[in-house]
Amino acid sequence: MPGIDRWLIVGARRWARVVASELCSLLPTTSAMQMQGDPSDPELMEWWRTSPVNGRIEIVLEPARCQAPMTGVAIIVNAACRHRAAIESALTAGYHVVSEKPLTLSRRESQQVLDCADELGLKLFSTNTYLF
């Protein structure tokens, strides 16, 4: 997708792996992608070593910052109870954010992360992503 310099997948379990595989199938091989997970997790690393995304996605504990003039998009696909913290972290790191629904677990928290995105000049929205 033209205009996006860096992709970040926040989450490392089954659904995040599906999203990673789909992104890799859609994006040029030169697209920069990170998956936020635990590089010491043997199950995650086994999946990474044996999957087609090996070499395309870097597994990281903390994402690289995405500062202007770069454009980054973070896709939040971790447990719903972690969405707020993940969204805030991605926004603070400079990423526009697409969050699997629910955005957060309360209206108040959702408004807070929407306000945060607005203050930072970044986009944030929630989606019900069945499959691309």
Side-chain angles (χ1 to χ4, degrees):
M1 291 173 204
I4 299 174
D5 301 301
R6 179 173 289 144
W7 291 89
L8 171 64
I9 300 162
V10 179
R13 295 288 159 232
R14 185 188 61 81
W15 187 236
R17 295 171 192 184
V18 169
V19 170
S21 296
E22 291 296 322
L23 269 178
C24 284
S25 74
L26 294 170
L27 296 173
T29 57
T30 56
S31 295
M33 285 187 264
Q34 292 185 331
M35 177 181 272
Q36 189 171 1
D38 184 354
S40 67
D41 176 347
E43 181 185 334
L44 173 61
M45 297 314 292
E46 177 62 21
W47 166 80
W48 181 78
R49 274 191 294 279
T50 61
S51 77
V53 304
N54 185 335
R56 299 270 323 266
I57 293 179
E58 178 185 10
I59 308 292
V60 297
L61 275 174
E62 293 297 323
R65 291 198 48 79
C66 190
Q67 297 174 324
M70 292 182 70
T71 299
V73 173
I75 302 173
I76 310 297
V77 286
N78 59 0
C81 63
R82 296 186 182 132
H83 282 190
R84 179 186 178 172
I87 290 167
E88 290 173 338
S89 177
L91 289 170
T92 301
Y95 291 85
H96 299 278
V97 176
V98 178
S99 177
E100 175 85 315
K101 76 170 196 129
L103 188 61
T104 69
L105 297 180
S106 76
R107 181 173 187 236
R108 187 177 129 269
E109 287 182 349
S110 292
Q111 190 59 59
Q112 288 172 337
V113 294
L114 287 164
D115 290 344
C116 179
D118 191 49
E119 289 169 13
L120 294 169
L122 297 168
K123 302 294 182 193
L124 165 63
F125 65 93
S126 181
T127 181
N128 191 12
T129 312
Y130 292 111
L131 191 56
F132 300 82

